[in-house]
Amino acid sequence: MLERLKKLIYQTDGKFTEELRLEESGFGLGHLPRRLRPDGVTRAVCGYCSTGCSLDVHIKDGKACNLTPTHAYPVNVGEACPKGWEALSVLNATDRATTPLLRGSDGTLKPVDWPVALKTFAERFKAVQQRHGADSVAYLSTGQITNEEMTLLGILAKFGMGIVHGDGNTRQCMATAATAYKQSFGFDAPPFTYADFEESDCLVFVGANPCIAHPIMWQRVLMNQNNPEIIVLDPRKTETAIAATQHYAVRPKSDLSLLYGVANFLIKNEWIDEDYIERHTNSFEAFSRHVEEFTLDRVSAVCGISETQIAELAALIHRSQRVSFWWMVGVNQGYEATRTAQAIINLALMTGNIGRPGTGANSITGQCNAMGSRLYSNTTNLLGGRMFTDAEHRGEIAEILGIGAERIPAEDSWAYDQIIEGVHEGKIKGLWIVATNPGHSWINRTFFEECMRKLEFLVVQDMYHSTETAQLADLVLPAAGWGEKEGTFINSERRFGLIRAVAEPPGEAKTDFEIFKLIGRAWGCQDITDRWSAPEDMFQTIKEVSRGRPCDITGIADYAMLERCGGIQWPFRPEDDETATERRLFEDGEYYHSDGRAQFMFEAVAPNPEPTCRQYPLVLLTGRGTSSQWHTQTRTGKSKILQKMCPQEVYVEINPRDARDLSIRPGQQVRVVTRRGSVKANAVIKPSVFSGQIFMPMHYPETNLLTLKCFDPYSRQPSYKSCAAKLMTVQTEKAT
Ligand code: SF4
């Protein structure tokens, strides 16, 4: 069988019929047409972060041998960060999942063939549903797979398998931005284009460190010819704060008060765009009254920066002609994150800094396809940013897909944390995790692991069998990765970019698209999943799903057009100009609420759920460590070069004064303790972390043993950055 499959793979030229290959076994084991690229250069958008850089992959003798960043691409203009340069090397890791693995009666994972894996998948999940109800099986998806794959997964799971609850790991990074935009603008719509980095005369970064988190976006900032003010609001003196013209070191999670204070100062001084407010927004009067109490003295006391600095910040915004506001997970990962993001949006609206070059309230996304997940994963939104609870929306999708509307759940899915809590409470008994590693990354991971052990059946679908999550699985499905499949991603500025297959998946690993189709057959719902034979077919369906929506892309003909145009930003309707490489939203001041106006959103400041105290006197901050590390290091940990560029062991950054008080020396191993647990870490003593705070990178599995399980009430995004901690030296530990 393997020989036959290999033969099929190497003969693949896109002309095999699906039926021929699917007849190879009972479940259809063949690969779908994978258009392996000819010798020469193949372009593919990078599969790590949401910047969406294009990479030229050089193919010789049928093998991808090297890559260089694409010069003629409007995103990265010839640049790439270390992760992009090393994108090919991680495909050949020795811990790639090359065959399905099934946990045996002795408790170990053992190789099985695909028919056994697929049969087990269907039988075990169906048995769970029969015992406990259809909604007792859930899935957790990802921002790492293509739009075509996540759309097929959403259709298979929700309309084929009868699953009600599914969410994605974009809940961990982007849910706040999505929620904030929806409430403020009427649709999840980041308004900017990367040219805005170069066209601003004032850039305000809130909880964002693009120098290491999005290095190529930072390159675009450095290309700005306007000698701009670069303002950073961040508790730490990050790499970006060091490079900025102004750094406001706000106390952790006091940013909402600061933003309200700045708004109040702008209003009091009449430094607002009354005409824009009048013509394009709602609720400004109520917002003005709300922020009145955020006086300079009060805000200064809360935020730890002087009244003069706050006034100066407002004056800088007022004096600048083109102010762009940028935020990232420093805002999104908070217990009042949605209102904080909306406080940024409010500043842009009230000063008229939106819809013009160099302006905007701009959320930078995280993963390569976080934006795609927000629109097309069919998890907490119905396809195309629709609502499951809206009968008209369900009818539209049913018509496009040619299925009965009764197959579409009429209720909203639980969010990620609610699914995990559902496992804890025994409501969810079966879970399918695709291309994400929450065993490392989920907040308070000890609780997560406890929950996973309560499941009757856990399936993990991943490139690697070695992830913390795969190690907990009952069944591991081996998946292809970036470079081994084709499809599209959507980057931070709403640009669809193309990825191409430049290598074969190892062993019996398959693309996620293929796996979903095979599962559709094993489940018996191939009437839905067999409609698409290749990713580009699904792209045509995605276009239909987008028709008439704010994210309409019906003007994009096919993959060839995406390639020709250097990616295309949504919306792109048939009448739009394909030669325009940069496009921003709201140039006409029209928003997506039914009255065409943006909404000022605001609320009272919430108390910190775990303030510092005598026992835990320090605030534990978490975030990205270096530009060579990506999230849980599932992939970047496999590159020798990337590993040489970052510390191999977990470390904690400590302010010199705190280190002196605790007699901690540089490099000394210390214990970091929170109410959830304690871990050993190497002490890095540096003044970039302020006294009373410590910082640990998110890339090491120890970090989330410490974090507090709390969430923004609107976006349900975890608050990774605000729990109370203490440090212990070895001597203290012995004495305690
Ligand atoms: Fe890839 Fe992001 Fe690096 Fe660009 S900045 S090369 S998209 S990881």
Side-chain angles (χ1 to χ4, degrees):
M1 171 62 76
L2 198 55
E3 281 311 302
R4 174 70 178 138
L5 284 175
K6 278 182 184 165
K7 200 171 165 206
L8 283 165
I9 293 163
Y10 291 127
Q11 286 179 349
T12 296
D13 60 3
K15 290 181 183 158
F16 285 115
T17 64
E18 184 192 353
E19 287 67 31
L20 170 67
R21 278 170 285 101
L22 293 177
E23 280 169 8
E24 291 292 313
S25 81
F27 289 119
L29 279 182
H31 287 268
L32 297 176
R34 196 180 350 268
R35 291 179 285 197
L36 273 183
R37 311 302 289 173
D39 281 9
V41 170
T42 287
R43 282 200 179 150
V45 165
C46 176
Y48 282 106
C49 90
S50 67
T51 305
C53 300
S54 176
L55 305 171
D56 287 352
V57 182
H58 304 275
I59 300 175
K60 192 174 174 205
D61 300 332
K63 283 204 161 71
C65 57
N66 207 340
L67 62 79
T68 47
T70 309
H71 277 270
Y73 196 75
V75 169
N76 51 318
V77 289
E79 308 258 11
C81 85
K83 296 185 290 295
W85 280 102
E86 276 294 284
L88 288 172
S89 69
V90 303
L91 298 178
N92 299 321
T94 53
D95 57 348
R96 284 295 301 271
T98 56
T99 181
L101 300 170
L102 182 62
R103 196 170 296 283
S105 52
D106 63 354
T108 62
L109 287 167
K110 292 192 174 59
V112 292
D113 61 20
W114 273 103
V116 170
L118 294 164
K119 194 163 176 285
T120 306
F121 180 101
E123 286 182 356
R124 297 276 304 268
F125 274 146
K126 281 187 175 183
V128 169
Q129 286 185 322
Q130 273 159 15
R131 276 196 299 277
H132 308 288
D135 59 357
S136 64
V137 172
Y139 71 103
L140 295 173
S141 176
T142 175
Q144 296 288 152
I145 59 176
T146 64
N147 291 306
E148 293 76 359
E149 289 171 333
M150 62 177 61
T151 304
L152 182 55
L153 169 60
I155 289 170
L156 162 67
K158 293 221 162 171
F159 311 153
M161 295 170 63
I163 290 177
V164 176
H165 302 303
D167 199 5
N169 64 1
T170 42
R171 182 71 54 186
Q172 291 161 275
C173 57
M174 286 300 115
T176 290
T179 308
Y181 281 139
K182 265 187 236 170
Q183 293 180 351
S184 295
F185 295 160
F187 195 78
D188 177 14
F192 63 100
T193 184
Y194 290 158
D196 292 321
F197 284 122
E198 297 170 39
E199 298 190 27
S200 295
D201 57 4
C202 177
L203 298 99
V204 183
F205 290 96
V206 189
N209 186 12
C211 276
I212 63 160
H214 296 87
I216 304 307
M217 291 193 201
W218 184 249
Q219 292 294 320
R220 299 290 297 262
V221 175
L222 297 181
M223 289 162 72
N224 187 311
Q225 299 292 308
N226 302 323
N227 192 25
E229 289 286 350
I230 301 175
I231 297 167
V232 170
L233 313 185
D234 201 301
R236 286 192 302 141
K237 199 163 186 68
T238 61
E239 292 80 355
T240 309
I242 290 167
T245 55
Q246 311 285 336
H247 172 214
Y248 296 94
V250 288
R251 290 197 181 108
K253 295 296 153 218
S254 67
D255 39 6
L256 183 56
S257 293
L258 176 62
L259 295 164
Y260 283 162
V262 170
N264 187 37
F265 197 76
L266 289 167
I267 294 166
K268 291 283 177 277
N269 286 283
E270 299 182 357
W271 292 345
I272 57 176
D273 188 335
E274 288 180 8
D275 181 54
Y276 193 90
I277 294 166
E278 174 66 26
R279 287 194 293 131
H280 301 299
T281 71
N282 284 326
S283 303
F284 179 71
E285 286 304 318
F287 174 65
S288 304
R289 288 194 296 278
H290 173 76
V291 297
E292 261 175 6
E293 63 179 290
F294 292 85
T295 55
L296 290 184
D297 56 338
R298 186 181 157 202
V299 172
S300 172
V302 171
C303 301
I305 59 177
S306 71
E307 295 180 36
T308 308
Q309 283 179 299
I310 300 166
E312 176 192 64
L313 172 57
L316 281 171
I317 293 169
H318 168 63
R319 282 202 301 271
S320 305
Q321 302 303 308
R322 296 176 167 196
V323 185
S324 56
F325 299 88
W326 307 86
W327 82 87
M328 227 274 161
V329 290
V331 169
N332 289 339
Q333 294 177 340
Y335 53 85
E336 54 182 352
T338 300
R339 293 294 177 251
T340 307
Q342 287 166 333
I344 297 169
I345 293 171
N346 293 345
L347 286 179
L349 291 172
M350 66 194 281
T351 56
N353 276 300
I354 194 156
R356 294 185 288 116
T359 66
N362 306 328
S363 152
I364 301 171
T365 50
Q367 301 177 77
C368 52
N369 202 21
M371 189 72 233
S373 172
R374 286 151 66 167
L375 292 176
Y376 297 112
S377 65
N378 207 33
T379 49
T380 48
N381 293 320
L382 182 56
L383 293 166
R386 291 176 175 83
M387 291 165 63
F388 282 101
T389 51
D390 186 319
E392 199 174 319
H393 285 181
R394 294 197 303 276
E396 288 168 6
I397 292 301
E399 191 176 338
I400 292 167
L401 300 182
I403 61 173
E406 73 285 351
R407 292 179 87 158
I408 302 177
E411 61 182 290
D412 283 329
S413 166
W414 287 346
Y416 204 127
D417 66 299
Q418 294 163 322
I419 290 173
I420 303 304
E421 211 63 46
V423 177
H424 179 62
E425 293 168 3
K427 295 173 183 162
I428 301 288
K429 297 285 191 180
L431 189 62
W432 177 19
I433 298 177
V434 179
T436 184
N437 186 17
H440 178 313
S441 64
W442 190 247
I443 200 161
N444 186 5
R445 55 174 278 229
T446 309
F447 176 74
F448 178 86
E449 281 180 32
E450 281 170 23
C451 291
M452 293 305 102
R453 294 187 199 289
K454 289 184 171 184
L455 288 165
E456 291 183 12
F457 192 49
L458 171 62
V459 178
V460 173
Q461 183 168 320
D462 202 286
M463 287 173 70
Y464 301 97
H465 62 70
S466 57
T467 69
E468 285 80 359
T469 315
Q471 290 300 302
L472 298 169
D474 298 300
L475 176 66
V476 177
L477 301 178
W482 174 93
E484 296 165 345
K485 57 188 177 181
E486 67 179 8
T488 56
F489 294 151
I490 311 176
N491 75 355
S492 273
E493 52 163 4
R494 313 179 319 281
R495 186 182 303 271
F496 276 77
L498 200 56
I499 66 165
R500 294 288 200 187
V502 295
E504 284 295 347
E508 294 178 44
K510 297 178 183 300
T511 69
D512 294 290
F513 195 86
E514 289 167 330
I515 295 171
F516 300 144
K517 279 181 64 73
L518 294 176
I519 288 173
R521 292 210 155 189
W523 196 272
C525 60
Q526 61 269 31
D527 62 313
I528 293 183
T529 51
D530 275 4
R531 179 172 163 186
W532 301 275
S533 59
E536 194 161 2
D537 301 338
M538 178 58 87
F539 182 72
Q540 296 302 325
T541 299
I542 289 172
K543 285 168 56 180
E544 283 311 307
V545 161
S546 78
R547 187 181 294 277
R549 306 287 298 161
C551 55
D552 192 328
I553 54 159
T554 49
I556 305 175
D558 49 22
Y559 284 175
M561 184 173 176
L562 281 177
E563 207 154 43
R564 185 173 73 242
C565 295
I568 296 176
Q569 291 166 287
W570 67 257
F572 190 85
R573 301 177 181 94
E575 64 272 20
D576 287 330
D577 174 13
E578 76 168 67
T579 63
T581 57
E582 303 271 2
R583 301 155 72 241
R584 67 182 59 77
L585 301 179
F586 310 131
E587 288 177 324
D588 56 1
E590 280 291 305
Y591 293 87
Y592 301 116
H593 285 300
S594 54
D595 62 359
R597 290 168 170 268
Q599 179 75 26
F600 280 90
M601 299 294 300
F602 48 91
E603 193 170 331
V605 172
N608 186 332
E610 191 177 74
T612 55
C613 59
R614 278 187 57 166
Q615 195 183 357
Y616 296 97
L618 304 168
V619 179
L620 171 60
L621 307 171
T622 67
R624 289 188 199 277
T626 68
S627 61
S628 68
Q629 291 165 295
W630 179 248
H631 290 186
T632 65
Q633 298 204 80
T634 304
R635 280 182 291 169
T636 53
K638 310 301 186 305
S639 158
K640 286 185 184 145
I641 290 175
L642 295 179
Q643 285 302 294
K644 283 201 167 83
M645 297 171 70
C646 62
Q648 295 302 293
E649 293 178 343
V650 64
Y651 59 94
V652 54
E653 294 182 2
I654 308 166
N655 179 268
R657 190 190 311 161
D658 294 342
R660 193 172 58 239
D661 290 349
L662 292 164
S663 303
I664 294 170
R665 300 179 308 280
Q668 180 183 346
Q669 204 172 53
V670 296
R671 193 168 275 283
V672 188
V673 187
T674 70
R675 290 182 176 89
R676 271 68 58 200
S678 84
V679 302
K680 285 182 179 168
N682 298 324
V684 173
I685 298 170
K686 56 197 299 190
S688 57
V689 180
F690 286 77
S691 181
Q693 302 164 27
I694 53 176
F695 172 79
M696 291 179 73
M698 64 200 262
H699 313 294
Y700 303 90
E702 291 86 350
T703 303
N704 279 315
L705 292 169
L706 302 172
T707 45
L708 170 68
K709 186 164 66 79
C710 69
F711 307 90
D712 176 84
Y714 304 102
S715 68
R716 309 294 321 161
Q717 183 156 346
S719 181
Y720 281 98
K721 300 177 185 302
S722 58
C723 74
K726 66 180 172 185
L727 288 173
M728 297 168 76
T729 61
V730 175
Q731 289 82 356
T732 321
E733 202 179 338
K734 280 179 184 162
T736 304

